């Protein structure tokens, strides 16, 4: 159905990341919906590997200047934007020097997960939500891709529960086989600061446990990878949330 406002929140998208299924799928979904006459916007982190010069990113001054408070610490939110090369499709980048300047994604050169991956995910989720509100652009559909985005529905249904801004948006979660990793053991304190408690994922906070947790906070779950690993596949089969098996990109509009 054209003339919808569709928000893609993702951690990967081609050409900013190459050689992953998620990056390719998000690119194709966003382009297809854009070319079918929908108002499409994409939000993703401005990871350090993304070249600002190559992709012509520039700061959006009217959107930047906000601060996100995480565990009582103010973190400046910087918003950058670019058009997908060769397309009139805007991609917004959530940036913060402390969280996203490093050249690796989630693991250091020795393969250890960064201690602040949980804070980075919280900052990204809240940064997207606050920026969308500042844009005064109300999405009809929010489509989540990548483990960091699993914090978005958790925050929308708890911290932002009394905020009517997103109340009519349909939230779709795509599942992908991502490398699992432990999150900080004190993540419960950081979430508690935002009055979020009682999550099952906090019993064993990992990348995967938060993705699985978020399945109960969305309107639909879909397989982003055709074959999911055992834990994700089990959670997919057991969830009471409406779900869809893997769809090729040509059929993606059936979700909306």
């Amino acid at each position: 159905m054209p003339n919808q406002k569709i928000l893609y929140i993702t951690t990967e998208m081609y050409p900013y990341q190459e050689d992953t299924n998620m990056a390719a799928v998000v690119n194709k979904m966003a382009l297809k919906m854009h070319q079918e006459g929908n108002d499409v916007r994409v939000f993703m982190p401005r990871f350090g590997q993304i070249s600002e010069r190559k992709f012509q990113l520039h700061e959006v001054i009217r959107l930047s200047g906000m601060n996100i408070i995480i565990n009582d610490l103010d973190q400046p939110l910087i918003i950058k934007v670019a058009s997908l090369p060769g397309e009139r499709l805007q991609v917004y980048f959530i940036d913060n020097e402390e969280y996203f300047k490093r050249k690796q994604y989630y693991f250091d050169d020795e393969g250890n997960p960064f201690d602040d991956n949980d804070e980075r995910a919280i900052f990204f989720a809240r940064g997207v939500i606050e920026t969308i509100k500042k844009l005064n652009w109300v999405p009809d559909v929010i489509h989540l891709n990548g483990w960091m985005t699993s914090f978005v529905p958790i925050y929308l249904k708890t911290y932002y529960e009394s905020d009517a801004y997103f109340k009519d948006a349909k939230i779709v979660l795509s599942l992908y086989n991502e490398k699992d990793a432990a999150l900080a053991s004190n993540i419960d304190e950081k979430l508690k600061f935002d009055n979020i408690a009682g999550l099952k994922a906090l019993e064993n906070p990992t990348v995967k446990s938060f993705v699985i947790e978020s399945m109960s906070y969305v309107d639909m779950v879909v397989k982003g990878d055709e074959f999911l690993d055992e834990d994700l596949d089990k959670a997919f089969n057991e969830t009471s949330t409406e779900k869809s098996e893997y769809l090729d990109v040509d059929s993606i509009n059936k979700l909306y």
Side-chain angles (χ1 to χ4, degrees):
M1 186 172 72
N3 301 316
Q4 290 195 95
K5 293 178 179 175
I6 304 175
L7 169 63
Y8 289 96
I9 309 177
T10 186
T11 50
E12 298 179 20
M13 185 182 189
Y14 181 84
Y16 310 108
Q17 284 90 5
E18 300 182 357
D19 304 324
T20 75
N21 179 53
M22 187 195 306
V25 166
V26 173
N27 173 285
K28 289 173 183 173
M29 284 193 300
L31 273 178
K32 177 177 171 58
M33 292 298 100
H34 171 67
Q35 291 163 355
E36 288 188 0
N38 297 287
D39 183 359
V40 175
R41 305 195 186 185
V42 181
F43 273 73
M44 62 187 298
R46 210 294 285 181
F47 288 115
Q49 302 95 323
I50 299 172
S51 168
E52 296 197 13
R53 180 177 294 179
K54 177 181 177 181
F55 295 113
Q56 300 181 331
L57 273 64
H58 60 272
E59 185 174 349
V60 187
I61 302 298
R62 72 183 179 89
L63 295 176
S64 298
M66 291 185 282
N67 277 28
I68 303 292
I69 300 173
I70 295 179
N71 207 25
D72 211 19
L73 285 175
D74 271 20
Q75 293 289 357
L77 173 62
I78 299 165
I79 309 299
K80 294 173 180 171
V81 71
S83 291
L84 199 64
E87 300 286 343
R88 287 183 166 180
L89 176 56
Q90 286 196 309
V91 181
Y92 292 83
F93 295 86
I94 299 291
D95 202 0
N96 170 279
E97 192 150 310
E98 170 108 7
Y99 292 138
F100 297 116
K101 189 177 183 181
R102 64 198 76 166
K103 291 296 183 185
Q104 306 93 334
Y105 290 109
Y106 311 116
F107 299 88
D108 64 21
D109 292 336
E110 281 72 52
N112 301 309
F114 290 122
D115 292 339
D116 62 351
N117 276 340
D118 59 331
E119 292 184 19
R120 298 167 83 208
I122 292 168
F123 180 87
F124 176 61
R126 290 201 51 207
V128 171
I129 293 167
E130 294 294 346
T131 303
I132 291 292
K133 290 171 65 177
K134 200 164 183 178
L135 276 170
N136 199 26
W137 183 80
V138 182
D140 299 303
V141 179
I142 300 172
H143 194 144
L144 309 168
N145 304 265
W147 75 266
M148 276 190 173
T149 70
S150 65
F151 283 73
V152 172
I154 292 172
Y155 264 83
L156 286 178
K157 298 299 171 68
T158 54
Y159 183 80
Y160 292 93
E161 186 180 17
S162 62
D163 188 333
Y165 194 88
F166 296 95
K167 68 179 174 61
D168 295 325
K170 178 180 181 179
I171 306 177
V172 180
L173 170 70
S174 282
L175 300 176
Y176 300 89
N177 296 314
E178 298 177 86
K179 186 176 178 180
D180 199 14
L183 296 176
S185 59
N186 65 340
I187 185 175
D188 58 332
E189 296 171 21
K190 298 165 190 175
L191 292 173
K192 200 175 287 181
F193 184 82
D194 291 334
N195 295 317
I196 299 173
L199 302 181
K200 193 171 187 299
L202 293 173
E203 295 170 11
N204 177 32
T206 66
V207 163
K208 192 180 291 182
S209 70
F210 269 87
V211 172
I212 291 172
E213 178 88 31
S214 70
M215 292 169 68
S216 59
Y217 288 82
V218 300
D219 300 297
M220 175 175 273
V221 182
V222 61
K223 289 184 178 180
D225 283 328
E226 191 167 358
F227 302 102
L228 298 176
D229 69 43
E230 188 177 353
D231 293 338
L232 274 184
D233 198 52
K234 182 174 184 287
F236 176 83
N237 289 324
E238 291 178 353
T239 184
S240 59
T241 301
E242 185 183 352
K243 55 197 168 189
S244 169
E245 293 288 336
Y246 178 79
L247 292 174
D248 61 39
V249 171
D250 289 336
S251 307
I252 208 71
N253 47 9
K254 290 179 182 176
L255 297 178
Y256 311 144

